[in-house]
Amino acid sequence: MPAKKTVATTLTMEDLAKLAGVSKITVSRALRDSPLVTVETREKIRALAEQQGYRLNVSARNLRMGRSYSVAVVVEMTPVRGRPMSDPYPLELLGGITQELTTAGYSVVLTSKQLMNTAPVMGADGLILLGQGSHGEAVRTVQQTGMPLVVWGAPQPGSDYIVVGSDNRKGGISAAERFIAQGRQKLVFLGDVDHAEVQERCAGFIDAMGGAAMVHIIRPKAFTFEAGFDSISALLKKKGASFDGVFAASDLLAMGAIRALAEKNLRVPENVSVIGYDDTPGAASFVPPLTSVHQYLRDGGVLLAKKMLGLIEGQPVASEMLPTTLMVRQT
């Protein structure tokens, strides 16, 4: 008598849930390593799935849920030799974003404005934009997708998108208070105020100075060491140029400014005080150690991701600003 043929059956998530004595959603979360399921339950379900030869059909799940479980992160900045992508901005933001999204079971699609029309980006469940661009042009570009959007930057009047950022105005105020305490009266603000974040830093700085000092604004288009060096070198060549304080919109600009001052035998902080922004790792080790406004970029990345997950789930979400801290050193 011929042997009976055995028909292979495909184990479903529902079958696995029954075997584990839990709900389907718990199985789904456990297989995505979601923190909403205890470690003990996750390990139990994963072990059972491996024993039964079960594999999560991600494509089928995404199709059923109408989601891709991915979020596109668009980096507005253009990497240049003096300001690489490996700098704390945007690397620390990306670290926080990735940590939060992957914990929630989402993948991260890293891209630029130039690659917005690619399938992985257009198939994402939402967009996180790092940087608003000059005059907010980057925001206008990504808004055309009609996708859920969260932006790292500064709130703008009349804007209809969620913003997470540092309190740039408070950062500018803290720099002004430091200069006032030092008795500085002829000041330079160094940064491109066409960017919303830089505009807020400048506005807070000037408002806090009030009538206590004159502020001259220099607007280099880059945030690099070279731009800071060139800007202050050009200012020092002007007849009658006199200033005793520089507030730069980035640490690299501040470091370049200090080098330009040193080449003209102007000592920091004896002749000119300098304050940077971002408090990058290089600020503390610079010679002299740079006073700088600290941004909590990793926390900002986590918050960006949380806001995005809230939008995807249809929850009420509001813009939010993180504090800044002036790190006083020797400049």
Side-chain angles (χ1 to χ4, degrees):
M1 176 182 286
K4 288 184 178 179
K5 290 184 179 180
T6 57
V7 179
T9 58
T10 302
L11 193 73
T12 66
M13 185 179 292
E14 188 174 3
D15 296 331
L16 191 59
K18 288 178 180 178
L19 289 171
V22 297
S23 65
K24 282 176 60 178
I25 188 62
T26 299
V27 170
S28 176
R29 286 171 174 167
L31 295 178
R32 288 189 286 115
D33 209 25
S34 168
L36 297 175
V37 181
T38 65
V39 174
E40 182 182 358
T41 302
R42 272 184 271 166
E43 290 178 350
K44 172 186 172 182
I45 292 172
R46 284 180 173 276
L48 186 60
E50 185 173 348
Q51 177 188 336
Q52 297 293 325
Y54 177 82
R55 293 289 183 271
L56 178 63
N57 189 331
V58 175
S59 297
R61 179 205 64 182
N62 292 354
L63 185 61
R64 183 173 65 254
M65 299 291 291
R67 293 183 185 175
S68 65
Y69 284 91
S70 68
V71 171
V73 179
V74 183
V75 182
E76 183 274 330
M77 71 174 281
T78 301
V80 294
R81 184 173 59 85
R83 192 187 183 211
M85 291 281 284
S86 55
D87 276 357
Y89 178 89
L91 206 57
E92 286 190 21
L93 281 173
L94 290 170
I97 291 168
T98 303
Q99 170 190 309
E100 192 67 22
L101 288 179
T102 55
T103 299
Y106 280 74
S107 60
V108 177
V109 179
L110 182 61
T111 189
S112 65
K113 291 182 299 178
Q114 292 74 25
L115 298 173
M116 286 294 300
N117 292 325
T118 58
V121 175
M122 299 309 295
D125 296 328
L127 289 171
I128 295 175
L129 173 64
L130 303 184
Q132 292 155 297
S134 180
H135 299 291
E137 55 86 19
V139 178
R140 291 191 294 274
T141 297
V142 300
Q143 278 185 314
Q144 294 174 9
T145 65
M147 298 165 67
L149 174 64
V150 182
V151 177
W152 174 264
Q156 295 291 283
S159 63
D160 57 353
Y161 53 89
I162 302 301
V163 179
V164 172
S166 294
D167 190 340
N168 290 284
R169 180 172 286 270
K170 180 63 172 65
I173 291 171
S174 65
E177 290 172 345
R178 174 68 176 167
F179 283 146
I180 290 172
Q182 293 177 311
R184 306 300 182 178
Q185 296 182 322
K186 297 179 180 179
L187 306 175
V188 173
F189 179 84
L190 189 59
D192 184 2
V193 292
D194 286 343
H195 291 262
E197 292 176 272
V198 178
Q199 171 61 40
E200 284 293 293
R201 293 167 199 174
C202 184
F205 181 65
I206 291 174
D207 288 349
M209 291 305 305
M214 294 170 42
V215 180
H216 177 60
I217 300 174
I218 302 177
R219 302 168 55 167
K221 290 301 179 182
F223 292 83
T224 61
F225 181 99
E226 291 80 8
F229 177 86
D230 292 343
S231 295
I232 296 303
S233 294
L235 179 60
L236 290 170
K237 289 177 182 177
K238 292 183 178 180
K239 186 177 180 179
S242 175
F243 55 95
D244 55 12
V246 176
F247 177 35
S250 77
D251 284 350
L252 288 174
L253 284 170
M255 293 172 186
I258 291 172
R259 175 65 63 82
L261 291 166
E263 290 199 358
K264 293 297 182 181
N265 296 316
L266 293 170
R267 300 180 65 189
V268 176
E270 290 83 357
N271 301 121
V272 182
S273 292
V274 179
I275 297 176
Y277 210 101
D278 291 334
D279 189 31
T280 55
S285 58
F286 192 71
V287 180
L290 178 65
T291 295
S292 182
V293 179
H294 182 81
Q295 295 196 85
Y296 298 89
L297 294 176
R298 188 172 185 85
D299 293 343
V302 170
L303 193 54
L304 283 164
K306 285 183 175 180
K307 300 289 185 184
M308 175 51 64
L309 292 171
L311 286 179
I312 291 171
E313 295 296 334
Q315 299 170 358
V317 176
S319 296
E320 189 170 343
M321 295 296 108
L322 293 166
T324 57
T325 304
L326 181 67
M327 307 300 291
V328 178
R329 297 192 178 95
Q330 296 179 24
T331 62

